[in-house]
Amino acid sequence: MKPGVLVTSHGSRDPEWVALVDEAVRAVHVPDGVPVYSSFLEIVEGRLIQDGVDALETDGVTEMLVLPLFVSSGSTHVDDIGQSFGFPKAAFRDGDMAPFTVRRANVTMGLPIDDDPVIAELVWENIKPLAEEPKHETLLLVAHGSREKLLNRIWRNGMSQLAERVRSLGGFARSEIAMLLPNQAGCVMGALRRKYPGEAVVVAPLFLSRGYFTSTVIPERLEGYEYRYNGEALLPNPYVSRWMERQIGEWLEGLKELRAAGVEASGERKLCGEQDSGDSSLAAGENPSGSGASDGQASAGGLGIRRILRYDGTRRRLVRM
């Protein structure tokens, strides 16, 4: 059994964007012998997801964690990636990507950021200079969002919980969220200004890195309103590397437990009702999939935070409780 990690993010034509992601991935501390490959959904030719799968399998990886470096489980990109690895759809929509070819590795699907407490710490650190009297101020968390009804609900749930974490950390009077898709930012800001005319609003963008959305779209959507904003994104920040480390560590611990229990990769397929074929090459859709829940806690990399996160080996997912 050889584990390896495939970090996947969107990709960009901006080499600085790609460099920020690569730096965060390089900063991840993993045990010796565990390769970590930074891949991209699109644009970055030669380093796409299939390239990453091929590279890890060439390196002898037989257990692969796909770690989606995305803001929300409601992202259509995360849903598409999961479906292309053979995992169930997050909503009533079929992905528009072809299945990935996985020849021998068992694939586990990791978790996007959602309401992660480590990222809540990061967002608070980003906006702390803007907070003068938090108990008399409102936090407004702004992210991309989705028009898909069920995916929009997933975005909203994750954002609301993350905003509440940040509100609690900073001691804000209240928190609110707004998506750019659908266009909610101006409407939400207008409602806040009418309901709490004497309170300052601190706007926190929930984007992986600075760029068009943080520098242009958000200011345009909030034009005409008074608010505090510095456009700070999640990268560069060591907390993102710590977030990845925690998921990887929980997954590796889960693999150890399975190994100690004598559960082998082929047995995993049988547990999930899969049939083994004589061909050693498995299409992604033949990998075990599903969701599940089991108890456990994982430490958040020295940040003094604990999060309930557990590797479900039977269904090959990291799960939240």
Side-chain angles (χ1 to χ4, degrees):
M1 179 190 296
K2 179 175 179 176
V5 181
L6 181 67
V7 179
T8 180
S9 54
H10 186 277
S12 172
R13 291 182 176 83
D14 182 355
E16 292 185 7
W17 191 99
V18 175
L20 285 175
V21 172
D22 286 343
E23 288 167 9
V25 174
R26 279 196 299 269
V28 171
H29 298 292
V30 296
D32 291 340
V34 179
V36 180
Y37 189 99
S38 177
S39 69
F40 301 91
L41 177 65
E42 59 183 12
I43 301 173
V44 188
E45 291 299 325
R47 296 184 57 196
L48 301 179
I49 295 173
Q50 187 63 60
D51 298 314
V53 171
D54 294 344
L56 288 172
E57 290 203 304
T58 298
D59 199 18
V61 166
T62 58
E63 293 288 342
M64 188 182 306
L65 172 64
V66 177
L67 206 168
L69 184 50
F70 288 84
V71 167
S72 174
S73 296
S75 166
T76 54
H77 299 313
V78 174
D79 190 26
D80 287 347
I81 292 167
Q83 289 188 50
S84 291
F85 274 111
F87 289 88
K89 58 189 74 172
F92 298 115
R93 60 177 293 277
D94 292 324
D96 57 7
M97 293 167 53
F100 298 117
T101 299
V102 183
R103 291 176 174 79
R104 61 179 172 273
N106 293 299
V107 177
T108 295
M109 195 71 187
L111 300 169
I113 288 168
D114 290 327
D115 67 324
D116 192 280
V118 174
I119 303 303
E121 288 269 11
L122 192 165
V123 174
W124 165 233
E125 292 294 330
N126 280 350
I127 63 173
K128 187 182 290 186
L130 304 176
E132 298 175 2
E133 292 184 278
K135 64 181 180 180
H136 300 301
E137 297 167 353
T138 297
L139 165 70
L140 176 59
L141 189 66
V142 181
H144 189 279
S146 173
R147 285 198 180 97
E148 295 275 352
K149 185 175 181 180
L150 290 180
L151 295 180
N152 180 281
R153 185 180 303 166
I154 296 171
W155 268 98
R156 174 168 290 279
N157 289 343
M159 286 180 67
S160 296
Q161 293 173 46
L162 183 66
E164 177 56 25
R165 290 186 187 276
V166 180
R167 185 208 64 76
S168 179
L169 287 168
F172 289 97
R174 60 191 53 82
S175 64
E176 188 52 85
I177 64 168
M179 300 180 211
L180 300 179
L181 190 67
N183 185 0
Q184 300 173 336
C187 180
V188 173
M189 177 65 82
L192 288 173
R193 303 313 293 157
R194 289 190 298 273
K195 191 170 183 178
Y196 309 104
E199 291 188 0
V201 178
V202 176
V203 176
L206 188 58
F207 287 85
L208 197 57
S209 70
R210 296 177 70 112
Y212 175 67
F213 286 101
T214 58
S215 63
T216 301
V217 177
I218 292 177
E220 284 181 351
R221 299 282 176 89
L222 298 179
E223 187 175 2
Y225 294 103
E226 184 178 345
Y227 59 95
R228 300 183 196 145
Y229 179 71
N230 58 16
E232 291 293 328
L234 302 182
L235 290 174
N237 193 298
Y239 281 26
V240 176
S241 301
R242 303 295 83 78
W243 168 76
M244 288 188 272
E245 284 174 7
R246 194 182 67 255
Q247 283 206 55
I248 295 168
E250 185 64 36
W251 173 66
L252 290 173
E253 187 62 30
L255 289 179
K256 288 180 183 177
E257 292 174 2
L258 288 180
R259 195 171 188 178
V263 179
E264 296 298 328
S266 60
E268 284 301 297
R269 293 193 192 98
K270 292 174 183 176
L271 281 171
C272 294
E274 297 288 334
Q275 297 292 326
D276 285 332
S277 69
D279 187 355
S280 62
S281 177
L282 294 175
E286 295 170 322
N287 283 337
S289 60
S291 62
S294 48
D295 296 326
Q297 285 190 328
S299 176
L303 295 176
I305 305 167
R306 294 187 68 79
R307 176 177 179 77
I308 298 174
L309 185 67
R310 182 74 174 178
Y311 173 54
D312 184 336
T314 302
R315 298 182 183 275
R316 312 207 68 80
R317 275 189 184 271
L318 283 167
V319 296
R320 296 187 178 96
M321 291 294 290

